[in-house]
Amino acid sequence: MQWNKLEDEACSMARTIAVIGDRWTLLILRDCFLRVRRFEDFQQRLGITRPILADRLRKLVAKFVLAKVPYQERPVRYEYRLTPKGLDLYPVVMSIVHWGDVHMSDRKGRPLLHRHELCGKDFDPVLVCSECGEPLVPRQVHVHPGPGAGSPRHVPLGMDVPVPRQPARKRA
Amino acid sequence: MQWNKLEDEACSMARTIAVIGDRWTLLILRDCFLRVRRFEDFQQRLGITRPILADRLRKLVAKFVLAKVPYQERPVRYEYRLTPKGLDLYPVVMSIVHWGDVHMSDRKGRPLLHRHELCGKDFDPVLVCSECGEPLVPRQVHVHPGPGAGSPRHVPLGMDVPVPRQPARKRA
DNA sequence: CGCACTGCGTTCGAATACAAAACCTGCCTG
DNA sequence: CAGGCAGGTTTTGTATTCGAACGCAGTGCG
């Protein structure tokens, strides 16, 4: 499957991956949330090569995740800023960081702690239900097709199928 | 930067990306949460080629995200199951799917809806603070170095730096 | 003027990852 | 014994990605 095909899948995960499912893109976005905005800064902080960086920034702008806005005239220079669409990726980025904190830290512990300005405490991010506020666990989530459902070659995430497979298995 | 170097960064995001930051790996994990467990099923559902699938499964097992357990003897056949470490990726997967639902759906709407068994309603996932329960927004989160902090070549996510750059800029 | 510098990229072969298809193994079934 | 099935590996060609170097505009400095 090529990158472009991913976008056409009737699966939100595939479509998202078509935008951010690239090693560099996620690191660039992390830096965006750190208020890094300029080509040179990205390049130096990430150690990414210039052609790749230029390509990823271009793609993110084309997908309206970043916006290219001039910060000075004469020589016109641009900086890359998160759009509202880009800002909405915060949960994705935070979830990834948190998983790394919990599961990929070495003996010394996690490299950094997050403090919530509202309550003043160090916290972990928790994913909850928008309706009842309870934490989400995989087993309590069922999925049913929505208006944009296509032929489910990819049965979408959480779909409670008994694993689609050839009906009966002879051997246990 | 090569893949392996990512793991050594003192950044939880980089370390997580070293595990799951691959287009196929995330799709495989999505299917895992759908209770897909067998090589053939992954292959057919994803349209992934066999060598790549074998490679990704091997890596996920090596990283303890999946476990390879026999489900029958004589011919020994294995299935791949999420470990607790793997199950903890649920927020990552859900956040990605939700972003796709919101921002990548076509006119017809999102391909699927999620229903929460506990409250019986269709919901969106929301990322909240574990301490006060309020939704997290980027601007209200500050970060300070934790015990595992290294030299911050990558200043970690959310770090509230005024963008590290060469002190004074000659041109405005 | 003329030369260097800064910010932001592009162009170029070499290395890598990937796709498509065929092949192999161990066991079972007809 | 032919064929099938689950779960891979091998082989071969193509698309991506990479690192190093170059291009280029607009100053700034002597």
Side-chain angles (χ1 to χ4, degrees), chain B residues 141-156:
Chain B
V141 175
H142 296 240
V143 169
H144 51 111
S151 62
R153 210 196 90 204
H154 292 215
V155 179

Side-chain angles (χ1 to χ4, degrees), chain B residues 28-41:
Chain B
I28 290 169
L29 286 170
R30 179 201 57 170
D31 272 13
C32 288
F33 280 106
L34 289 169
R35 297 147 183 84
V36 175
R37 303 196 232 255
R38 298 189 189 169
F39 192 93
E40 292 292 311
D41 294 330

Side-chain angles (χ1 to χ4, degrees), chain A residues 135-154:
Chain A
L136 294 170
V137 297
R139 313 209 50 172
Q140 290 170 346
V141 175
H142 296 240
V143 168
H144 50 111
S151 62
R153 210 196 92 206
H154 292 214

Side-chain angles (χ1 to χ4, degrees), chain A residues 3 11-12 23 30 35 41 88 101 103 111-113 115 117 126 128 140 142 144 156 158 163 165 169, chain B residues 3 11-12 23 30 35 38 41 88 101 103 112-113 115 117 126 128 140 142 144 146 156 163 165:
Chain A
W3 270 114
C11 166
S12 293
R23 35 188 161 185
R30 180 202 57 172
R35 298 147 182 85
D41 293 330
D88 279 355
D101 279 344
H103 292 288
L112 59 113
L113 302 171
R115 181 154 302 165
E117 213 178 56
V126 180
V128 303
Q140 290 170 346
H142 296 240
H144 50 111
V163 180
R165 53 167 53 256
R169 305 184 57 74
Chain B
W3 268 115
C11 165
S12 292
R23 35 186 163 187
R30 179 201 57 170
R35 297 147 183 84
R38 298 189 189 169
D41 294 330
D88 279 355
D101 279 344
H103 291 289
L112 59 112
L113 303 171
R115 181 155 301 165
E117 214 178 56
V126 180
V128 303
Q140 290 170 346
H142 296 240
H144 51 111
V163 179
R165 54 169 51 259

Side-chain angles (χ1 to χ4, degrees), chain A residues 37-126:
Chain A
R37 302 199 234 261
R38 298 189 189 169
F39 192 94
E40 291 293 309
D41 293 330
F42 285 115
Q43 202 270 311
Q44 282 172 33
R45 289 170 46 83
L46 296 176
I48 188 175
T49 62
R50 292 167 160 281
I52 303 290
L53 176 58
D55 177 72
R56 294 305 185 276
L57 289 174
R58 218 182 300 116
K59 281 176 179 161
L60 286 171
V61 169
K63 303 253 164 69
F64 305 106
V65 171
L66 296 182
K68 191 173 179 179
V69 303
Y71 65 87
Q72 72 173 30
E73 308 295 330
R74 226 174 35 268
V76 191
R77 292 281 178 268
Y78 297 95
E79 59 185 18
Y80 298 88
R81 296 171 151 265
L82 288 163
T83 63
K85 184 172 173 179
L87 282 167
D88 279 355
L89 284 166
Y90 193 63
V92 175
V93 172
M94 273 302 277
S95 298
I96 292 174
V97 170
H98 181 240
W99 190 84
D101 279 344
V102 172
H103 292 288
M104 303 299 286
S105 293
D106 45 27
R107 299 123 225 103
K108 296 191 298 176
R110 48 179 81 178
L112 59 113
L113 302 171
H114 299 260
R115 181 154 302 165
H116 193 210
E117 213 178 56
L118 279 187
C119 66
K121 296 182 188 156
D122 289 344
F123 71 97
D124 289 332
V126 180

Side-chain angles (χ1 to χ4, degrees), chain A residues 10 12 15 146-150, chain B residues 100-102 104-113:
Chain A
S12 293
R15 295 205 270 232
Chain B
D101 279 344
V102 172
M104 303 298 286
S105 293
D106 46 27
R107 298 122 226 105
K108 297 190 298 176
R110 47 180 80 177
L112 59 112
L113 303 171

